[in-house]
Amino acid sequence: MKSLIPSLLILLILVFALFKTGGQHIRKKQKTVNSTYLEHVRKHKTPHIREELRKLHTVAYAKNYIVNVIKYGSHQFDFKGGEMEGGFASPKDAPKIACYVLSLSGKQCKTPYSKDAAMFYTSICGGCHGNDGKGLGGAYPNLTRDPLLGIERREEFLKNLLHKGVH
């Protein structure tokens, strides 16, 4: 029993340290993402921001955005339903679901979605976003909104960078 006490004490200290620094990890990650993007833009000295702004309202951009949210989640909004974790659908099924989501707002992908996309959407996403994609009373984002909320925020971010003279 005496030999277990030091091990338990170390374990307790580690658990406490993890809880204490949990929020700092998220802020550091966000700061790293933004600074990495700015470094990339400065290094290449190309008009990435203007180029992305030109593509921002295309179906291809929206599809890519939705696929990334399905794969990696979205942690930038404060909806009543909470954050969306990534990985609800397989990376193989994510593009099908994204094209189906776009069809809910009258948009169409270059390559039509497969017949099973509606089934994937309904079974994986419909519980939170509603079968019509409108977000179940504001608890979750409206996926038929144009532009999607994440794309609108991205546009604000990029325009802010241009205003600051970063391009």
Side-chain angles (χ1 to χ4, degrees), residues 31-46 48-49 157 161 166-167:
K31 199 173 197 178
T32 303
V33 169
N34 289 338
S35 62
T36 302
Y37 179 76
L38 293 176
E39 280 178 35
H40 171 78
V41 170
R42 285 186 192 112
K43 177 181 166 189
H44 292 284
K45 297 181 182 173
T46 59
H48 287 304
I49 296 170
F157 170 75
L161 287 179
V166 178
H167 48 85

Side-chain angles (χ1 to χ4, degrees), residues 10-79:
I10 291 171
L11 182 64
L12 193 62
I13 291 169
L14 287 173
V15 169
F16 178 74
L18 283 172
F19 280 112
K20 189 167 176 83
T21 60
Q24 293 172 356
H25 171 71
I26 293 169
R27 284 189 293 279
K28 282 183 183 176
K29 185 177 180 181
Q30 183 65 38
K31 199 173 197 178
T32 303
V33 169
N34 289 338
S35 62
T36 302
Y37 179 76
L38 293 176
E39 280 178 35
H40 171 78
V41 170
R42 285 186 192 112
K43 177 181 166 189
H44 292 284
K45 297 181 182 173
T46 59
H48 287 304
I49 296 170
R50 285 188 176 87
E51 183 181 317
E52 186 174 348
L53 281 167
R54 279 193 296 275
K55 296 175 182 178
L56 210 61
H57 296 286
T58 65
V59 172
Y61 191 96
K63 177 185 175 186
N64 189 53
Y65 170 76
I66 295 167
V67 167
N68 282 325
V69 169
I70 292 169
K71 287 180 178 180
Y72 309 112
S74 178
H75 309 285
Q76 60 179 328
F77 306 114
D78 192 24
F79 282 94

Side-chain angles (χ1 to χ4, degrees), residues 98-140:
C99 286
Y100 181 76
V101 166
L102 289 167
S103 76
L104 295 174
S105 60
K107 295 181 179 137
Q108 191 173 357
C109 289
K110 199 179 237 185
T111 306
Y113 59 85
S114 61
K115 293 180 183 192
D116 59 355
M119 183 260 320
F120 282 119
Y121 173 82
T122 304
S123 63
I124 298 170
C125 314
C128 295
H129 296 284
N131 290 343
D132 62 357
K134 298 203 187 262
L136 297 180
Y140 298 93

